[in-house]
Amino acid sequence: MINIAVFASGSGSNFEAVVRAERNGNIDGNVKLLVTDNANAFVIERAAPYNIPVYSFNPKLFDSKEAFERKILNKLEEYGIELIVLAGYMRLIGPTLLSHYEGRILNIHPSLLPAFPGLDAVGQAHDAKVKVTGVTVHFVDHGMDTGPIITQEAVKIDERDSKEEVQRRIQRIEHSLYPATIQFVIEKLKRSGG
Ligand code: GRF
């Protein structure tokens, strides 16, 4: 079984979708740790009923990204983490983590990348009045939402749809696409020898 850490900064609905899939046997791995940079994030409450340990850190108390990522790395090693799943983690991953987990860090983004990278992708798509947007799961590299794409799913936007309606539709898709993609990556990792 592959040991997974989820990184999140906010509400954590994707975190919960991944944990549910894991508990239902739809992900061949163990979610061993939640990492958050926000001690007030609702995701921490979501982790409690599942008894998932939380490593919460305050980036402001560190001198650099390298310093807090080294601390995270220690935690990941303590829990034997093999795969990192970003779920609304609002920071770029730096070289410290990237070099240890190359090809083993996934992110989910609420647009059809490379369209609408960065913050408020749903708002960007809505403002641009595109007819189709969607969800992308990709490997993480040094850039912002730039790594190799693994899966995508489209969502149609009608001109009468509010941003909130589009957001709801996107999140519903995220909650099925992310667990399925994680499982797909785990199977690939296993075939290539772990
Ligand atoms: C999701 O829309 C995800 O695509 C983006 O951040 C959001 C996190 O939502 N990266 P939640 O905290 O999982 O509800």
Side-chain angles (χ1 to χ4, degrees):
M1 285 282 215
I2 287 204
N3 291 334
I4 302 168
V6 181
F7 288 27
S9 307
S11 152
S13 70
N14 281 283
F15 163 78
E16 190 158 3
V18 169
V19 173
R20 284 214 180 127
E22 180 247 86
R23 297 288 157 103
N24 291 336
N26 295 324
I27 289 179
D28 226 357
N30 293 314
V31 178
K32 287 276 191 186
L33 183 66
L34 168 66
V35 174
T36 184
D37 59 350
N38 176 5
N40 300 314
F42 184 62
V43 68
I44 295 175
E45 285 174 47
R46 292 193 200 254
Y50 298 99
N51 292 315
I52 295 173
V54 181
Y55 173 58
S56 168
F57 68 98
N58 180 350
K60 294 199 185 102
L61 301 180
F62 293 84
D63 289 340
S64 62
K65 185 188 288 264
E66 190 195 340
F68 68 70
E69 286 201 343
R70 248 190 281 118
K71 199 76 191 277
I72 295 174
L73 196 55
N74 288 341
K75 278 282 162 194
L76 300 180
E77 281 168 358
E78 185 185 317
Y79 283 90
I81 300 301
E82 300 159 282
L83 183 67
I84 297 174
V85 167
L86 307 184
Y89 179 66
M90 301 304 283
R91 289 174 189 281
L92 284 177
I93 299 293
T96 308
L97 286 174
L98 272 176
S99 60
H100 280 81
Y101 283 93
E102 215 204 315
R104 289 170 176 267
I105 310 179
L106 308 186
N107 183 42
I108 188 162
H109 183 77
S111 76
L112 293 178
L113 290 171
F116 310 123
L119 288 177
D120 192 22
V122 178
Q124 291 184 54
H126 192 258
D127 291 349
K129 301 195 184 331
V130 293
K131 302 289 181 199
V132 180
T133 186
V135 177
T136 302
V137 181
H138 63 96
F139 287 112
V140 170
D141 64 9
H142 59 277
M144 164 99 75
D145 304 321
T146 50
I149 291 169
I150 310 165
T151 53
Q152 291 186 303
E153 201 169 323
V155 172
K156 282 192 181 167
I157 307 183
D158 186 274
E159 57 188 298
R160 287 159 306 192
D161 290 335
S162 65
K163 180 184 158 188
E164 290 67 34
E165 174 54 31
V166 179
Q167 177 84 44
R168 269 193 295 277
R169 233 177 281 149
I170 292 241
Q171 284 241 298
R172 255 198 312 274
I173 286 179
E174 288 187 334
H175 298 162
S176 60
L177 186 66
Y178 214 5
T181 307
I182 292 166
Q183 177 57 16
F184 172 75
V185 169
I186 288 175
E187 279 166 14
K188 267 182 76 172
L189 286 173
K190 281 205 212 144
R191 275 200 302 276
S192 65

